[in-house]
Amino acid sequence: MHAPSAAGIGASTTVPRAGIADVFAPLSAQGLHLHAVFDLHRLPASVQATLGLNEAERGRFTQLILIGHRGRDFWAALQRRGLHGSDPVDTFVGECVKAWMDGTLAGHAWRQVFPGPHPVGLQALGALAGWHRPSPFWVGVDAEWGSWFAYRAVLLTDTALPLTPKRELESPCLACVDQPCVRACPAGALASEATGPWRLQACLSHRLQADSGCQDRCLARNACPVGAEHRYPEAQTAYHYLQSLPAIRAHAQRAPEASGG
């Protein structure tokens, strides 16, 4: 946990909603445009259970701050920093968060729970913020951004920032008749009336094929027309999808052992 320092806004200060953009401006400057502030103690118990709170932290921390990015700006900022280190994305996010808390919000105690050692209910938090709507290709979608956004950090703080109103936009999938994402999936893995429920194993198995066109992208995700102006550059998409392949291969190797095969 990070102890409070002397400068900055201070633990007792309440920021007017009109000034909240200024509070988050240092994060936005690094492409971290998405922010949602929650009352920690009013979050559903199922979400709180993923946060690893001890009794002392329950008494001290008052808010949870969800931070994310949309579109291309975060990748551009990461390129300026450089893709060095074993996990450059999480390292860069950690640097941005620490600089922000030590600067704009100096004087507050905080703890970063994501990225961290334990899974956090990111999609549940995204749904509470109004960012996440389910899609057939199992990535959250927004009516404006499409699927081109991501969760980058979750903080527990003792701040008194204005709570963020839920983003109230209808799922773009509800009015989608053609379902180009379903037709674009070469594994036939997506949930639809024609194909049935989402088939995770079909997706993963296809991605591991040597000639798969899904190793460095999701063809179904790319086929979705929503939020096209926020679409990641090809290098960003390839980086994230290729980063996931070693974990998928390891899972595939463990599966036969677990079943005794």
Side-chain angles (χ1 to χ4, degrees), residues 3 26 28 43 56 76 82 94 118 125 148 157 159 162 172 185 195 212 222 230-231 234 237 251:
S28 297
L43 288 170
H118 305 295
L125 286 169
W148 308 109
T157 70
T159 50
C185 178
T195 61
S212 174
N222 286 352
H230 298 285
R231 186 185 297 271
E234 288 189 7
T237 300
H251 172 77

Side-chain angles (χ1 to χ4, degrees), residues 32 50-52 64-69 74 87 89-91 93-95 97-98 110-123 125 131 150-156:
L32 295 165
T50 70
L51 302 177
L64 179 146
I65 303 176
L66 177 64
I67 299 168
H69 77 76
F74 174 76
D87 194 339
V89 172
D90 287 352
T91 300
V93 171
E95 292 168 355
V97 166
K98 186 177 188 307
W110 61 285
R111 178 163 73 88
Q112 184 169 322
V113 294
F114 173 79
H118 305 295
V120 174
L122 296 175
Q123 289 193 345
L125 286 169
W131 303 355
Y151 310 103
R152 287 295 166 218
V154 176
L155 312 181
L156 305 178

Side-chain angles (χ1 to χ4, degrees), residues 13 29 44 59 65 69 78 89 96 118 131 149 159 171-172 178 189 196 217 234 239 244:
T13 302
I65 303 176
H69 77 76
L78 179 60
V89 172
C96 292
H118 305 295
W131 303 355
F149 69 98
T159 50
S171 169
D178 294 337
R217 70 200 67 200
E234 288 189 7
Y239 175 84
S244 69

